[in-house]
Amino acid sequence: MMNHVEALTSPHIVTSPIPPAILEEIETFEAEALRTLAGEIPTDLFKPFRLQYGIYGQRQPGVQMVRIKIPFGGFNSNQLRRVAELTDRYATGVGHVTTRQDIQLHFVELKDVPTLMRGLAEVGLTTREACANTVRNVTACHLAGVCQGEVFDVTPYAKTIAYHLLRNPLNQSLPRKFKIALSGCKHDCALTPIHDIGLLAVKRADGVVGFRMVAGGGLGSAPRIAQLLREFTPMEELIPSIEAVIKVFDTLGNRKNRNKARMKFVIDKLGFEEFKRRWEAAYVGMGHTLPKNGSLTLLQHQDEPPPLLMPTKNGLVSGNGNGNGNGNGAITIGHETPFEMWKRTNVVKQKQEGYVTAAIKLFMGDLTAEQMLFVADLAERYSNGNLRTTINQNMVIRWIPGDRIADLYEDLASRGLADPGAELVEDIIACPGTDTCGLGITSSKGLARALAEVFPAGRVPDDLAGVDVKISGCHNSCAQHHISTIGLHGVGKRLGEHVAPHYELHLGGSVNGTAKIGQMTVKLPAKAVPAAISHLIDVYRRDRQDNENFPNFIARSGKSKLKDELIPYTIVPSYEADPTFYYDWEGENEFILEDLGPGECAGGALEMIENGILEADQELYQAKLLVENHQYSVSVNKSYRAVLAAAKAMLVTEGLEPSTDSETFLEFDSRIAQKGVIPAQYRELNKKVGDLGPKDTTAESAHEKMAFAKGFVEACRAATEQMGKDLKLAPVQATTAPKKEVLAPVASIATEVKPTAQAPTGAPVYDLRGVACPMNYVKTKLKLEMMDAGETLEVWLDAGEPIKNVPMSLKNDGHKVLIQEALEPEASHYRILVEKVEG
């Protein structure tokens, strides 16, 4: 698309003839791409074919993202020079290293993609199966083979697995994407617990080495930690064990609902023991009879060290050599020179005496074509010409003689590549977000740049050692925010006539020996995130115990306390008061939510509930401030508003939006409290809440009423946090049984619903014209719950969001949509016929 050839000297690149089978593959893609451009085949038909080849559509029309697959992150200078050349000629002149160790090029025109593919194939690279429902790039620790703490080098195993599965028929049409990672030591730098298959190097007591195999991990909107499948996998059984897992997934994965298609959902449905039984059956069924499978033939990765001129310890840089992925111990910030700072944070001793590995910190994974050429030269000048990408979006050069590290630094600094802090907290991970991604909601890169002031490179105090920050532009977790100490993912929040960019803050995630999903703590407006994170760090330094690190402080403090501290940062002024809150970081126009296709109504209902609880928290925060300032009557009113907001949030589960306070409390008591989903002291709320009126204005009464409100909000929060997308509330454990609920007649579920009538379909009609999303979905869901399997319901909906979202959400729930058609010629209203399917 863009041409920078005049500014970039064409590098010397050694190429090889493209194997005939791969050349034919590229020519097939080219033919289909040309047909698509000519309008002979629709783009929707071409899309899955394109994805299979690693070519992803961008949010900008007419251009593509090309994802280059780099197994275990290993490649050489010659290959990097070719990537630089192609980046400069066909993309933007900037490449992007991903959290799966791939390299992505953006804004490539479809007509140029086949030429780019040929250029990659000439140096042994491919885009094949870097996207789509396939086995994605196989990742591994970037220190594999040189790490001081590793059990053994996992590099040849990662390479063998990757190329065994590439173009493998087993891998061509899976229900959804499939990810594999390998780690060589207990620090688990490759994050095996969040993968479909995770392989951790282990050694038995008898000295035999193999892999500990876990299965079923994944992030996205429903994060899961992988479970143990095999405590010890012998090398000769490695490939058969992997194939059998893929076979079970291929057979049982959900191909109807993309949102439930990952392997973790297969395990959720079967239970892990049954999944394991199916895996064992598949293992035998594929012709593998334990344990006579023969030895494993490994693909070797040539990574020989350059000779040391003076193989002594004198030239080695300092470092703790702990093999944890960055080699950095406690940080001592004094009057360091820039070189000393870089050496401390970016260089690690290898297990091979006399050699070190240096990390090149790439800001959010970006590297220009010119810088690529320069790094390729440095890898040959100071090492053996090999490089590796990291899952933290950096590059490393290994096998550098220790006495040459100062010279390498000077060269890197001359091209702006000597930033300190690689693989540390200031090395913030961010996905492309709204810069290019069609699914992005917020500008994750813009926020990362804003947070750079909170975490200055090379100057972060040692009390934040081991902390990481990861930012995803949507819930899909491409930046892996769920397993970060401080994780953020972008959402939008409508406030009146405007929408403000927000981030959900996840705290306490980790993968270091044991994996932990971070806890979603609070939703923050994008503009307030840097200030909120700064305050969180201040709270840690204020309240921490002796020798308590930041992750342990988060775990000890708990969500409730940390959320209370951050509530002031959740408040968004009106657009008229401060319009900057309605612009994303680095955004030139007011923030909007792009039309990304039909939405998930259940998710919208959950957001309404979450926003209601947040509103209650904000009211309580103000009540507390008012009490402290002796404004007791106003404080009592805020406590009242907190109870009201939480009660309204709970009523979303019943499809209700009461218009008055008294109606809210009456409906809450009859529909929520009597079900026993909150403690008994909050029943008959309509009577008790009257006492929260600002009659008594003493300090004691204000504190009592605030305590009642806080307890009620916490009870509502506890009930909603146990609730899934089915919106079903579970009863709390109580000493006395709640009153038996008397179900209201079906027709009284919502007061605004018109009388039902028989339609030509013979099914009862549920008229939801004028009811907005997601309440129209919630009402339909409740109506279906009162019907028997096989019965049908005709639902009338408005055009626009209702007819786009409700049918899809009902299908996701497992029901059948038999008819979907306009009610009148102008198509301002629609009807759907839904058949209930038992869940």
Side-chain angles (χ1 to χ4, degrees):
M1 176 182 175
M2 303 181 69
N3 195 324
H4 310 269
V5 175
E6 293 79 11
L8 187 67
T9 303
S10 181
H12 174 69
I13 297 167
V14 178
T15 61
S16 300
I18 303 174
I22 296 176
L23 186 60
E24 182 180 0
E25 177 182 285
I26 296 171
E27 289 172 348
T28 300
F29 179 90
E30 183 171 40
E32 294 305 300
L34 292 174
R35 290 180 63 201
T36 302
L37 290 170
E40 296 176 15
I41 58 175
T43 55
D44 287 345
L45 188 63
F46 179 64
K47 178 180 177 180
F49 179 81
R50 164 173 57 76
L51 289 170
Q52 196 85 5
Y53 282 77
I55 312 302
Y56 205 95
Q58 294 185 192
R59 69 189 301 118
Q60 297 85 358
V63 290
Q64 315 296 319
M65 179 270 282
V66 175
R67 182 177 290 159
I68 305 168
K69 213 171 185 180
I70 315 285
F72 63 89
F75 60 113
N76 59 44
S77 294
N78 189 61
Q79 292 171 322
L80 183 57
R81 290 189 182 101
R82 173 49 59 91
V83 173
E85 180 186 49
L86 297 173
T87 301
D88 187 73
R89 184 169 298 166
Y90 300 112
T92 60
V94 177
H96 176 74
V97 176
T98 77
T99 55
R100 292 212 65 75
Q101 299 178 288
D102 297 310
I103 296 178
Q104 293 179 176
L105 311 182
H106 294 91
F107 291 92
V108 179
E109 294 187 32
L110 183 57
K111 67 180 179 61
D112 293 327
V113 170
T115 304
L116 191 149
M117 287 178 169
R118 291 187 183 93
L120 293 172
E122 288 177 342
V123 295
L125 294 174
T126 185
T127 62
R128 177 75 188 224
E129 295 155 36
C131 303
N133 300 328
T134 62
V135 175
R136 301 292 183 86
N137 195 40
V138 176
T139 59
C141 175
H142 60 277
L143 292 177
V146 301
C147 172
Q148 294 193 33
E150 70 183 4
V151 178
F152 59 85
D153 181 8
V154 301
T155 301
Y157 300 93
K159 185 172 184 177
T160 300
I161 293 167
Y163 285 99
H164 175 79
L165 295 173
L166 183 64
R167 301 182 176 89
N168 190 315
L170 183 65
N171 172 41
Q172 297 309 299
S173 186
L174 297 175
R176 196 68 175 87
K177 58 188 174 185
F178 195 93
K179 298 179 178 180
I180 301 174
L182 298 88
S183 283
C185 77
K186 63 181 181 180
H187 294 287
D188 201 354
C189 303
L191 312 177
T192 60
I194 63 166
H195 285 76
D196 293 282
I197 292 179
L199 299 164
L200 184 66
V202 292
K203 181 186 289 186
R204 290 194 315 212
D206 59 5
V208 177
V209 296
F211 286 99
R212 184 179 187 270
M213 179 183 286
V214 295
L219 298 180
S221 60
R224 298 286 190 278
I225 297 299
Q227 300 181 61
L228 180 63
L229 185 65
R230 298 193 72 176
E231 187 67 54
F232 185 86
T233 308
M235 296 308 187
E236 64 272 14
E237 298 171 15
L238 181 60
I239 295 296
S241 295
I242 293 170
E243 286 187 337
V245 173
I246 296 173
K247 182 64 176 178
V248 173
F249 175 49
D250 188 45
T251 303
L252 300 178
N254 189 333
R255 296 180 185 272
K256 295 181 179 180
N257 183 355
R258 180 179 175 83
N259 296 322
K260 297 288 185 181
R262 292 291 299 274
M263 194 174 75
K264 58 190 175 184
F265 296 111
V266 174
I267 293 173
D268 284 351
K269 184 175 181 179
L270 293 179
F272 195 74
E273 289 306 312
E274 176 61 17
F275 173 82
K276 188 173 181 179
R277 190 191 69 77
R278 301 285 185 107
W279 167 77
E280 291 170 343
Y283 190 103
V284 175
M286 295 175 75
H288 308 302
T289 304
L290 292 173
K292 300 176 181 178
N293 298 304
S295 61
L296 177 64
T297 302
L298 291 176
L299 298 178
Q300 297 299 323
H301 179 65
Q302 298 302 317
D303 196 23
E304 299 302 318
L308 284 174
L309 298 178
M310 296 179 64
T312 69
K313 295 184 179 180
N314 296 334
L316 289 182
V317 300
S318 60
N320 67 353
N322 60 8
N324 67 355
N326 59 37
N328 306 309
I331 299 173
T332 304
I333 300 176
H335 299 287
E336 292 179 309
T337 65
F339 166 64
E340 289 169 338
M341 185 184 297
W342 175 83
K343 184 175 70 170
R344 168 173 55 80
T345 62
N346 291 39
V347 180
V348 59
K349 288 193 296 184
Q350 297 184 184
K351 66 181 180 181
Q352 295 86 2
E353 185 174 334
Y355 293 99
V356 297
T357 292
I360 303 171
K361 182 184 174 188
L362 308 179
F363 189 65
M364 289 179 291
D366 291 344
L367 189 68
T368 68
E370 185 178 4
Q371 288 172 327
M372 290 182 201
L373 292 179
F374 187 64
V375 170
D377 290 343
L378 294 184
E380 291 180 341
R381 187 182 309 161
Y382 291 98
S383 183
N384 58 9
N386 285 346
L387 301 111
R388 294 207 189 187
T389 53
T390 83
I391 63 168
N392 289 323
Q393 301 178 300
N394 295 314
M395 282 186 186
V396 299
I397 301 176
R398 298 140 49 107
W399 296 108
I400 303 167
D403 57 359
R404 302 194 66 194
I405 199 67
D407 294 335
L408 172 64
Y409 169 79
E410 293 297 332
D411 280 336
L412 289 170
S414 71
R415 301 298 179 94
L417 293 171
D419 287 345
E423 309 282 307
L424 301 178
V425 61
E426 57 263 52
D427 196 3
I428 297 171
I429 308 303
C431 71
T434 51
D435 285 10
T436 55
C437 180
L439 300 177
I441 295 173
T442 55
S443 175
S444 41
K445 285 189 169 185
L447 177 58
R449 279 185 277 269
L451 284 174
E453 296 184 13
V454 180
F455 302 102
R459 300 189 179 279
V460 178
D462 62 353
D463 60 357
L464 295 182
V467 173
D468 55 359
V469 180
K470 301 186 178 186
I471 309 170
S472 298
C474 73
H475 69 269
N476 285 312
S477 201
C478 293
Q480 304 168 339
H481 63 267
H482 287 106
I483 54 164
S484 180
T485 321
I486 300 172
L488 297 144
H489 90 260
V491 295
K493 184 176 181 180
R494 182 168 293 282
L495 298 167
E497 296 299 315
H498 302 273
V499 180
H502 277 64
Y503 282 89
E504 292 190 358
L505 173 65
H506 302 251
L507 293 174
S510 66
V511 176
N512 190 356
T514 57
K516 181 181 179 183
I517 298 295
Q519 192 169 32
M520 207 296 279
T521 303
V522 71
K523 186 183 292 185
L524 298 163
K527 289 296 181 186
V529 170
I533 299 301
S534 293
H535 179 68
L536 182 64
I537 294 169
D538 289 342
V539 171
Y540 159 60
R541 290 170 177 155
R542 182 192 73 197
D543 297 344
R544 64 188 174 192
Q545 297 177 350
D546 291 344
N547 300 316
E548 185 175 42
N549 63 25
F550 188 69
N552 289 342
F553 169 76
I554 290 174
R556 178 178 61 83
S557 298
K559 174 180 176 178
S560 180
K561 175 185 175 180
L562 298 176
K563 184 172 185 176
D564 286 347
E565 288 283 354
L566 295 171
I567 285 296
Y569 299 92
T570 66
I571 298 170
V572 182
S574 67
Y575 183 84
E576 292 71 24
D578 189 351
T580 63
F581 276 78
Y582 300 83
Y583 285 72
D584 207 349
W585 284 102
E586 303 178 356
E588 296 180 357
N589 300 308
E590 184 180 345
F591 181 79
I592 60 171
L593 286 175
E594 300 283 353
D595 183 7
L596 301 176
E600 172 59 68
C601 292
L606 290 171
E607 185 174 13
M608 286 183 67
I609 295 167
E610 178 189 304
N611 289 342
I613 299 295
L614 175 59
E615 181 184 345
D617 285 331
Q618 291 172 338
E619 298 286 3
L620 282 172
Y621 167 72
Q622 294 183 64
K624 179 175 177 289
L625 291 181
L626 290 163
V627 164
E628 291 171 353
N629 287 281
H630 312 294
Q631 299 180 45
Y632 302 127
S633 61
V634 185
S635 171
V636 169
N637 179 263
K638 290 296 182 182
S639 296
Y640 171 87
R641 307 306 302 179
V643 172
L644 181 66
K648 284 185 173 182
M650 296 288 281
L651 286 171
V652 172
T653 64
E654 295 290 321
L656 296 178
E657 291 182 286
S659 56
T660 66
D661 294 2
S662 60
E663 184 184 354
T664 298
F665 296 133
L666 287 169
E667 293 286 6
F668 180 88
D669 192 52
S670 64
R671 295 180 181 276
I672 303 296
Q674 297 304 322
K675 291 181 180 180
V677 298
I678 61 169
Q681 65 262 38
Y682 300 115
R683 295 177 193 167
E684 298 187 335
L685 190 64
N686 56 317
K687 296 179 180 178
K688 296 176 182 177
V689 81
D691 294 335
L692 291 180
K695 298 175 182 178
D696 300 319
T697 57
T698 65
E700 183 179 2
S701 63
H703 277 287
E704 288 176 355
K705 290 165 183 177
M706 186 168 63
F708 176 87
K710 186 174 179 60
F712 176 73
V713 173
E714 287 301 323
C716 293
R717 189 197 324 279
T720 59
E721 285 180 346
Q722 300 301 316
M723 178 182 65
K725 284 191 176 182
D726 59 3
L727 305 182
K728 292 182 179 179
L729 297 166
V732 297
Q733 297 296 321
T735 54
T736 58
K739 295 179 183 179
K740 184 176 180 181
E741 178 195 7
V742 178
L743 291 176
V746 172
S748 69
I749 285 179
T751 57
E752 70 271 43
V753 175
K754 286 74 177 177
T756 58
Q758 293 298 315
T761 59
V765 172
Y766 199 22
D767 188 348
L768 294 179
R769 291 174 295 180
V771 181
C773 295
M775 296 306 291
N776 44 22
Y777 160 74
V778 177
K779 294 175 187 295
T780 305
K781 179 182 177 65
L782 291 169
K783 181 81 82 171
L784 289 168
E785 286 180 358
M786 299 180 182
M787 299 170 61
D788 294 328
E791 290 187 325
T792 56
L793 175 69
E794 184 174 327
V795 184
W796 292 1
L797 299 164
D798 292 335
E801 293 298 312
I803 193 59
K804 285 198 297 183
N805 296 344
V806 174
M808 184 202 73
S809 295
L810 293 172
K811 291 177 184 177
N812 287 345
D813 288 344
H815 303 302
K816 296 179 180 178
V817 177
L818 305 177
I819 295 174
Q820 180 172 324
E821 59 189 13
L823 277 172
E824 63 278 306
E826 59 269 25
S828 56
H829 304 97
Y830 286 77
R831 71 171 185 171
I832 60 173
L833 183 64
V834 186
E835 179 184 329
K836 177 175 179 178
V837 176
E838 202 63 62

